[in-house]
Amino acid sequence: ATVWTMESNGNIENCDVAIEDGKIIAFGQNLNVDENNYRIINGDGMHLTPGIVDEHSHIALTGVNEGSQSVTSEVRMKDVVNSEDVNIYRQLAGGVTTAQLLHGSANPIGGQSAIIKLRWGSIPEEMLVKDAEEYIKFALGENVKRSRAPSSTRFPDSRMGVEQVFVDAFNRAKIYSDNWFNYNSLSKKENFNSIIPRRDLELDALLEILNGEMFITCHSYVQSEINMLMKVAEQFNFNVATFTHILEGYKVADKMRDHGVGASTFSDWWAYKNEVKEAIPYNAALMAMAGVVTAINSDSREMARRLNQEAGKSIKYGGMDEIEALKLVTLNPAKLLHLDERIGSIKVGKDADIVLWTENPLSIYAKVIQTYVDGKLMFYEKIDVKLQARDKKERIRIIKLMSKDKNKNKQIA
């Protein structure tokens, strides 16, 4: 196939890729392998890419928001992963292989995320990416201050209040840390006569952020608030990892680059609420040009099925190179999730998360033929056709049974 490596090799035509035990073991033209030991997939005239990585998703969850408090850092999306969600399969049909399942944006500090491989048919624990670093959802703006929920009485009610929530929370975490440090510094005799500090799971998570053990991905739109959170982070000596949505990122891209924060944005969403009125479709390209690691995300179970097309829009609006455009949904989101050593490109030793397309993956006409996760075939277009026919037949059978008159056992006209 034509292989999009997403590495310095660029695109290689008439290229072979060999995978074994869930890993890419070799790629190049005319690979010398024993064909008796490998299944050969003919990709002639097709395109092969790394699996798509969705940095911002809410599929496969039985709950998204814990909006009862301003700070709910103790809740974990890992505890509510739903492996039965059909959207997992549908997104495999669009080439997605990895997704970060995020808490919603109901409060300034939400819950901890779950990073999954789309291992359709596995139980929730098996879907989680082993040894992935920990992330947590923060949020700014209208959703947090409840602009569209006038009956809400929960603090905060303004953008000023949102900032204060962050400052207060991290100050509480520092005091909590000091209390534990002082307690652990006591001698055994002093320890015996002292009251052990109360364990607080909410503050434990915030302390992990301060210690660089957990990373923030923050729902954001407005320039002023983007600046605000970076300043709060710098005040407490840590960096924000990712601004997601970030539709005014083009205004502060230089400051984002200097702070070291990445961006995960939409291609061309605009004006769906007041704080999005100044969004532009050139946003992703401008941030990338400024040196910000930039990705395109879905935040939508429907749009995630065509993230390849969303990436292609940056060629139209930003004049982006084809390879750099596809990186927006492969290598770059892998970097934002600190998984680029394992996924996001075709490279020897990386996970065999690969997608075979009928043609250029940035084209609206491109269709997925096969999707592999860890070297296992998770979607195959030919099998899917058979499954759809099977399901249609079963649906008709059930409808016929439902439409029979129970008493007379006759078909209802």
Side-chain angles (χ1 to χ4, degrees):
T2 297
V3 175
W4 298 56
T5 68
M6 300 296 104
E7 296 284 345
S8 58
N9 311 76
N11 291 0
I12 307 175
E13 295 185 1
N14 302 315
C15 181
D16 302 328
V17 176
I19 63 177
E20 186 175 307
D21 296 330
K23 298 289 184 180
I24 298 168
I25 62 166
F27 67 93
Q29 294 179 329
N30 303 312
L31 286 185
N32 184 20
V33 297
D34 182 356
E35 294 190 6
N36 294 320
N37 294 327
Y38 289 85
R39 178 199 284 179
I40 306 300
I41 308 296
N42 183 6
D44 187 34
M46 300 181 190
H47 292 249
L48 186 139
T49 71
I52 288 173
V53 181
D54 191 356
E55 188 275 339
H56 186 136
S57 177
H58 299 293
I59 66 162
L61 294 170
T62 55
V64 173
N65 271 307
E66 174 50 70
S68 56
Q69 301 180 141
S70 299
V71 180
T72 58
S73 50
E74 71 275 21
V75 303
R76 308 189 312 168
M77 311 319 289
K78 291 179 182 178
D79 297 329
V80 290
V81 173
N82 173 20
S83 58
E84 304 298 310
D85 186 354
V86 70
N87 289 295
I88 299 167
Y89 179 76
R90 290 172 179 165
Q91 290 181 17
L92 284 165
V96 180
T97 55
T98 303
Q100 178 172 218
L101 310 185
L102 289 167
H103 187 277
S105 53
N107 29 24
I109 301 179
Q112 302 167 39
S113 67
I115 301 175
I116 66 166
K117 291 279 194 84
L118 273 61
R119 299 174 177 129
W120 181 239
S122 300
I123 61 173
E125 290 80 3
E126 292 170 345
M127 297 188 72
L128 297 172
V129 176
K130 189 177 180 180
D131 299 325
E133 292 188 337
E134 301 293 334
Y135 284 76
I136 187 169
K137 176 74 173 290
F138 278 33
L140 308 169
E142 291 183 27
N143 292 14
V144 173
K145 68 188 188 67
R146 301 297 180 93
S147 298
R148 290 172 289 173
S151 61
S152 174
T153 56
R154 193 203 71 192
F155 182 85
D157 197 42
S158 68
R159 297 183 193 273
M160 295 178 293
V162 174
E163 178 178 7
Q164 199 59 46
V165 167
F166 297 135
V167 173
D168 289 348
F170 285 119
N171 276 328
R172 284 190 290 117
K174 289 181 71 175
I175 293 169
Y176 175 73
S177 175
D178 290 343
N179 289 341
W180 273 105
F181 178 81
N182 292 335
Y183 177 80
N184 291 328
S185 299
L186 297 173
S187 65
K188 287 186 177 180
K189 183 178 180 181
E190 291 171 325
N191 235 323
F192 183 78
N193 295 320
S194 299
I195 299 174
I196 186 170
R198 179 178 176 272
R199 180 80 183 275
D200 191 317
L201 298 179
E202 179 183 296
L203 297 178
D204 280 344
L206 297 180
L207 202 52
E208 288 183 36
I209 297 171
L210 293 175
N211 293 336
E213 299 165 349
M214 185 178 291
F215 301 92
I216 295 170
T217 179
C218 184
H219 165 113
S220 55
Y221 289 106
V222 178
Q223 171 187 6
S224 58
E225 287 193 306
I226 297 164
N227 269 325
M228 174 272 288
L229 186 57
M230 287 192 290
K231 289 179 179 177
V232 169
E234 289 164 5
Q235 176 184 340
F236 289 93
N237 296 315
F238 69 88
N239 285 0
V240 181
T242 308
F243 279 116
T244 188
H245 306 325
I246 192 72
L247 293 182
E248 288 191 16
Y250 66 95
K251 297 181 179 181
V252 288
D254 55 340
K255 293 184 178 180
M256 291 171 60
R257 178 198 61 225
D258 295 344
H259 180 80
V261 62
S264 184
T265 187
F266 297 129
S267 60
D268 58 358
W269 284 26
W270 174 75
Y272 48 90
K273 55 182 177 177
N274 188 60
E275 64 186 1
V276 193
K277 285 185 176 179
E278 296 189 27
I280 60 173
Y282 304 91
N283 185 46
L286 289 172
M287 289 192 292
M289 287 168 60
V292 176
V293 176
T294 305
I296 298 286
N297 67 65
S298 74
D299 193 20
S300 158
R301 62 178 180 265
E302 188 277 326
M303 194 169 76
R305 297 185 296 106
R306 49 182 173 82
L307 276 172
N308 60 308
Q309 296 177 26
E310 296 299 304
K313 291 176 181 178
S314 287
I315 298 173
K316 172 181 173 61
Y317 291 112
M320 195 174 268
D321 170 79
E322 280 193 346
I323 294 174
E324 293 304 313
L326 194 61
K327 283 182 181 179
L328 295 173
V329 293
T330 54
L331 186 58
N332 288 1
K335 288 180 178 179
L336 296 181
L337 297 176
H338 301 168
L339 290 173
D340 52 303
E341 291 298 314
R342 296 162 64 176
I343 60 174
S345 65
I346 305 297
K347 185 178 181 181
V348 173
K350 284 198 173 186
D351 294 353
D353 297 352
I354 55 178
V355 185
L356 189 64
W357 306 80
T358 54
E359 53 190 284
N360 186 318
L362 296 168
S363 166
I364 62 170
Y365 300 107
K367 290 177 62 179
V368 172
I369 295 296
Q370 294 181 336
T371 302
Y372 293 82
V373 179
D374 298 321
K376 295 180 180 180
L377 183 61
M378 288 290 161
F379 174 82
Y380 187 11
E381 187 261 349
K382 288 184 179 180
I383 294 176
D384 183 67
V385 170
K386 294 178 181 178
L387 292 175
Q388 288 191 45
R390 179 204 66 183
D391 293 348
K392 182 178 180 180
K393 184 178 179 180
E394 179 67 3
R395 191 177 296 112
I396 292 171
R397 185 189 72 82
I398 293 171
I399 290 172
K400 283 183 177 180
L401 287 173
M402 293 170 65
S403 64
K404 284 184 177 179
D405 184 288
K406 290 183 179 180
N407 299 321
K408 298 179 180 179
N409 199 33
K410 293 181 178 179
Q411 195 79 17
I412 296 174

